Structure formats: C-alpha cells, structure tokens
Amino acid sequence: MKFVDEFRDPALAKQLLTRIAQRMASPVLQARAPIRIMEVCGGHTHSIFRYGLEALLPQTLELIHGPGCPVCVLPREHVDDCLAIAAQPDVIFTTFGDAMRVPGSRQTLQQARAGGADIRMVYSPLDALQIARENPQRRVVFFGLGFETTMPATALTVQQAVGKQVDNFFLLCHHITIVPTLKALLDDEDVCVDAFIGPGHVSMVIGLEPYGFIAEQYRKPFIISGFEPLDILQSILMLLDQLVEGRAEVGNQYSRVVHEQGNIQAQQAVAEVFELRERSAWRGLGEIDQSGVRLRTRYAALDAEREFALRSTRVDDPAECRCGEVLKGQLQPQQCPLFGSGCTPAQPMGALMVSSEGACAACFQYQRNDSQ
Amino acid sequence: MCLGIPGEIVAIDDAATLTAVVEVSGVRRRVNLACVLPTGADPASLLGYWVLVHVGFAMSLIDAEEAHQTLRLLAELEAFADEVR
C-alpha cells in the first residue's frame, strides 16, 4: 500500500535502532536513565506491540502507553445509556464496530443485539444518517465517540441531518478531547514522563499549536508521529535528540499527513456543532475538566441525551482493576494481577483490555503469542 | 479508533454532496470531501490526489513531497551508516 509499505522497511528500522542506542549511550541520557516516553495514541500502542518494538529498544528506554484509546476510556455508564436507548422498540441504534464490545454494567451492545435489539454497526456516521432517511418511521440514534479525529465527521453529519431536515436522526455524543487529559497527566505527581510521541490523526485535525504548552511550560519534547514502525522509531530518535541537546519543542515527524495548522475546515465544523462540557468522565482516570464536548443548543433537537432524558448512574470498575496505574506508567500490563486470568480481551474487567488499542489488550494479543 | 487509511481519489460520485470514490488497496468506497476541498472548488480538481480516509471522510491531502522527504532523511541515515562501516 502506497504511503504505508515504504515506512516498514526492516533495514531502515535497524539503522534507526542503532541510532537510538547511540543516543541512549550518551552521557546526558545515561545520567537520566531510564528515559520514559509516553505514546499518547492507542494507534501507536497497537503498532508498538504489533511490531514488537519495545523488545528492540534499549532497556533503559521505557514506553508508557497513554490514554489515547477512546473505546477504553468510555465509562460503563455510557454503555448502559446506549443499551437503554437501544431497548426502545422504535429505535435503530448505530455505532462504530469498536463500541460494540465495550461492556456496560451488565451487557455489551453486541450481546443486546443478539438478544433482539436493532443495533447496527456503521462504518461512517453518514451511513447512520442514510439509515434514518430510509426509515422515517423509526428513531435512528448514532452513538458518536472518539477524539478530534472523528469529531469532524460527526459534526458534518449533524449539519447534513439539519440541512436535509432528517428529523428522526439523533446523536448520542461522547466525543472527547485529548489535550486537557495530557495536562491532567502532566500535573499528576505520580506520572513521570520525559517526552511524548504525539497523536498523528488527532493532530491532522487540530494542528501543532494546541501542544505548545507541553514544550513551553512543562519543558517536555513532543513529536507528532505516523503509525508505521519507521515513523515511530524516527519519532523516538527525534525526541532523544531534543533530550540530548536540552531542547523541548513540538515537532512533526508525520508531515506527509499533518499540516501545521491542522484541518481548518474540520475545525470550523466542530466549532459550529459542538461546545465543551464542564467535565467528562474517563474510565480508568476519573473526571477531567473540559475534556469532552456536547451538541450546541441550536442542535438540541438532535440531542439523544435530551430526547431520551438520560440519567446515568456512575458505574465504577472493580476495585482490583489497576488500569489507572498502567495508564500513568506505574505498572506494566503484565504486572496487573488480573492480566490474562481475570481480565482478557474476550472478557475484559478493566478499560485497557477492552479494545485492541488498549495497552493490556495489545500486550495480551501480541506478547502472549510470542512467549507461546 | 483514530485509524486512517491512505487512498487515491479515482472518481467523483456526486459533486453536489462532495462525494468521491476513493480506492484503498484495490477496494473502492465512497468518501466525503468536505474537509479537504477548498471552498467553492470543483471536486473534480482533486482527482488523482491521495487522501487520508477516516470514517468515510477524507481528512487530509497527503503531501507526496513530504513523504519523500521523510524517506530521504531515513535513506541518508543508512548511507551514513555504510560510510562508517
């Protein structure tokens, strides 16, 4: 595949690994070791485990798998909300495949579908809008989740629904935003991170500017990265260069896709449709101020929260779950006592086992196979 | 979840709704161009462009020159290593 295969060249990967080892051997970094780099995005976490990159990196370089998997951090009570809506006989409930397996307090959407609810997996929010147009007598709800990458698609679909007067289309909105969560992690005394691999596709939408404070106020290098092995290794090298030279800057390794300003048209659609919520809950991390969005009042008629008068009650993860510590880099996935026994991708107990982009699920899928 | 796939714009399906046909690894699917088409421009002006596709929308025009630059930098790394050997 063009723009993908070139970035998987093993010979070049080997060169990058040699360079990384050389940087790590420099006196500056030896004195600071271990160097802890957080990859923010679940897509990076998945690539890192899929290609076994951790095992190839020097042992003094630790990768911390950050909070960037929107499916993993989806609180159980929101799945319960989805199930309550989907149980209404006149509703067709639609969402992305990733959301189907997330456990609520009793069930997943997949299980509810097997039990007879009309729940349909869609590839795009536009598909959900099309279902609404084809089924005018039914209420069609799209459960929108994800970071800034996905928000513009939902925003444009909402605008189309209004423009085409599709009045049986509703949005249940659980879009969240990554920057406030990075700030919360940086302010957390338990978290020690030396540098960040920044999210590629979120940045394609929001651009470089929103991360400026991480370099300026917190003095942490931040490199926006592509998702192939060479992208990730090159980003790590760029971060180490900054650490060796005592710099802290926001850089862009993924310049073939991420443009400095981001995508202005996408940003405008998001700003027109959504506003910040005071706070949003993140499974495994708790509540974080201004970290999620909801529909603006002008779109209230499409708001599923209003249409279905939702009143969710908080559902905590079992006390044994150590997801928060894994997210903060205090614990490796395999060190959790539930890993692979009480908590597996087929029956996840904690957030990070839920989606293939969660640190524990990625670790379970790839590293466990390696050792067999 | 934030997965994006590169594909080439090979046809315009419906100019009014800014819908194009994008080929991703030999598979064709309909993709909305609203986020990458300059305001007022003809969708056909994007034929042949590569885009990053996410949940049915083209979210970025892929910059082939930047991709080459990145690969060139990496290739230089290898050339340098050969010299050292």
Side-chain angles (χ1 to χ4, degrees), chain A residues 35-200:
Chain A
I35 299 296
R36 296 155 63 92
I37 295 178
M38 176 181 278
E39 88 275 2
V40 171
C41 171
H44 288 142
T45 304
H46 187 90
S47 284
I48 286 164
F49 283 103
R50 179 175 172 192
Y51 295 101
L53 298 183
E54 272 189 318
L56 303 173
L57 291 166
Q59 285 195 343
T60 49
L61 201 163
E62 287 177 19
L63 294 177
I64 297 168
H65 316 300
C69 166
V71 180
C72 298
V73 298
L74 178 68
R76 291 186 184 212
E77 57 267 31
H78 291 288
V79 180
D80 291 348
D81 288 343
C82 295
L83 290 163
I85 294 173
Q88 311 268 332
D90 69 325
V91 164
I92 300 174
F93 193 88
T94 63
T95 191
F96 299 129
D98 306 48
M100 298 289 287
R101 282 183 46 241
V102 187
S105 53
R106 295 183 320 279
Q107 245 188 343
T108 65
L109 285 165
Q110 208 163 30
Q111 288 162 339
R113 182 171 66 172
D118 193 345
I119 299 172
R120 305 185 192 179
M121 216 158 83
V122 290
Y123 161 70
S124 166
L126 288 174
D127 299 342
L129 184 58
Q130 185 58 29
I131 293 172
R133 297 175 79 182
E134 289 163 2
N135 295 275
Q137 74 293 359
R138 307 276 298 272
R139 287 187 291 179
V140 175
V141 180
F142 174 67
F143 176 44
L145 71 167
F147 290 111
E148 286 91 336
T149 318
T150 317
M151 262 183 227
T154 307
L156 287 158
T157 304
V158 164
Q159 288 176 337
Q160 276 199 24
V162 171
K164 292 180 175 161
Q165 296 173 319
V166 186
D167 56 11
N168 62 325
F169 177 81
F170 301 92
L171 172 70
L172 180 61
C173 179
H174 191 75
H175 282 299
I176 46 179
T177 163
I178 193 71
V179 171
T181 304
L182 289 179
K183 188 169 188 314
L185 283 173
L186 282 160
D187 286 333
D188 189 327
E189 286 177 1
D190 295 338
V191 182
C192 7
V193 174
D194 296 295
F196 290 92
I197 297 173

Side-chain angles (χ1 to χ4, degrees), chain A residues 1-4 6-7 11-12 15-16 19 70-71 96 98 123-126 145 149-150 152-153 156 160 201 204-205 234 253 255-257 259 263 265-266 357, chain B residues 1-6 17 25 29 32 34-35 37-38 50 52-57 59-64 66-67 70-71 73-75 77-78 80-81 85:
Chain A
M1 198 193 295
K2 194 173 166 184
F3 297 116
V4 172
E6 309 92 294
F7 295 91
L12 290 177
Q15 291 306 328
L16 281 167
R19 287 293 181 98
V71 180
F96 299 129
D98 306 48
Y123 161 70
S124 166
L126 288 174
L145 71 167
T149 318
T150 317
L156 287 158
Q160 276 199 24
H201 293 150
M204 155 180 91
V205 173
Q234 191 183 25
Q253 182 276 336
S255 55
R256 63 188 184 275
V257 165
H259 313 304
N263 186 321
Q265 282 150 294
E357 292 180 4
Chain B
M1 179 84 215
C2 291
L3 191 70
I5 304 167
T17 58
S25 291
R29 60 163 76 241
N32 186 288
C35 288
L37 186 70
W50 281 73
L52 203 290
V53 181
H54 176 70
V55 300
F57 287 78
M59 293 305 302
S60 176
L61 295 176
I62 299 180
D63 189 329
E66 287 288 344
T70 305
L71 288 167
L73 262 176
L74 290 167
L77 209 74
E78 190 170 37
F80 179 78
R85 258 184 231 132

Side-chain angles (χ1 to χ4, degrees), chain B:
Chain B
M1 179 84 215
C2 291
L3 191 70
I5 304 167
E8 185 182 4
I9 301 177
V10 292
I12 301 303
D13 182 63
D14 179 9
T17 58
L18 307 181
T19 308
V21 178
V22 168
E23 190 171 299
V24 178
S25 291
V27 178
R28 293 183 168 210
R29 60 163 76 241
R30 285 156 67 194
V31 167
N32 186 288
L33 300 179
C35 288
V36 292
L37 186 70
T39 316
D42 179 3
S45 64
L46 292 183
L47 281 170
Y49 273 82
W50 281 73
V51 288
L52 203 290
V53 181
H54 176 70
V55 300
F57 287 78
M59 293 305 302
S60 176
L61 295 176
I62 299 180
D63 189 329
E65 180 49 34
E66 287 288 344
H68 291 313
Q69 289 266 16
T70 305
L71 288 167
R72 198 153 50 227
L73 262 176
L74 290 167
E76 276 170 21
L77 209 74
E78 190 170 37
F80 179 78
D82 287 342
E83 274 169 37
V84 175
R85 258 184 231 132

